[in-house]
Amino acid sequence: MNEDINSEGRLGPPAGEAELRVRRIQEKLQQLLRQRDLLLKENGKLREELRQTQQDHTDQAARLEQLQQQVEILKATKAAMSEGEKRALEKRLGQYIREIDRCIAMLGE
């Protein structure tokens, strides 16, 4: 065994070897702390990416619902309207669009 009686009168490793062990432990600790910091940064980035992806998914789901409603409306109006009713609807929609354009222009002034 490589143990000596230390300065306190106890049996243990030589003083130089103990200092070397302490230094190695400190180096390992520093390395682990650096690794931990890197992992915390990566975790933060991944959490933000996940949050953004979830928000995108929510937005896309809302857009899909809106489009499905529009499809249902178009199906209902196409089947139930005569040619004259369709022209009247297009005319009304055109009027609404022009009115909205005027409102936007007034807001821009």
Side-chain angles (χ1 to χ4, degrees), residues 65-81 86 89 93:
E65 178 66 27
Q66 182 183 27
L67 290 172
Q68 287 173 336
Q69 288 175 355
Q70 288 177 358
V71 166
E72 291 301 317
I73 291 170
L74 288 173
K75 284 180 182 177
T77 56
K78 183 178 181 181
M81 295 177 87
K86 288 180 186 177
L89 177 61
L93 290 174

Side-chain angles (χ1 to χ4, degrees), residues 25-84:
I25 291 172
Q26 287 174 336
E27 288 171 2
K28 283 278 193 185
L29 179 61
Q30 291 301 317
Q31 181 183 7
L32 289 171
L33 288 172
R34 285 189 297 270
Q35 258 184 333
R36 181 185 146 264
D37 289 343
L38 290 173
L39 290 172
L40 286 173
K41 286 179 185 178
E42 183 180 2
N43 191 352
K45 288 177 184 177
L46 290 172
R47 284 180 187 273
E48 176 58 28
E49 186 178 324
L50 175 63
R51 187 199 61 76
Q52 183 62 47
T53 302
Q54 288 172 332
Q55 181 63 46
D56 291 346
H57 174 63
T58 301
D59 294 346
Q60 298 248 342
R63 180 70 177 138
L64 176 62
E65 178 66 27
Q66 182 183 27
L67 290 172
Q68 287 173 336
Q69 288 175 355
Q70 288 177 358
V71 166
E72 291 301 317
I73 291 170
L74 288 173
K75 284 180 182 177
T77 56
K78 183 178 181 181
M81 295 177 87
S82 69
E83 205 52 44

Side-chain angles (χ1 to χ4, degrees), residues 89-105:
L89 177 61
E90 288 174 4
K91 183 177 177 180
R92 257 186 295 155
L93 290 174
Q95 290 171 343
Y96 291 145
I97 291 171
R98 284 190 293 280
E99 183 65 28
I100 291 170
D101 287 342
R102 273 184 267 166
C103 291
I104 291 172

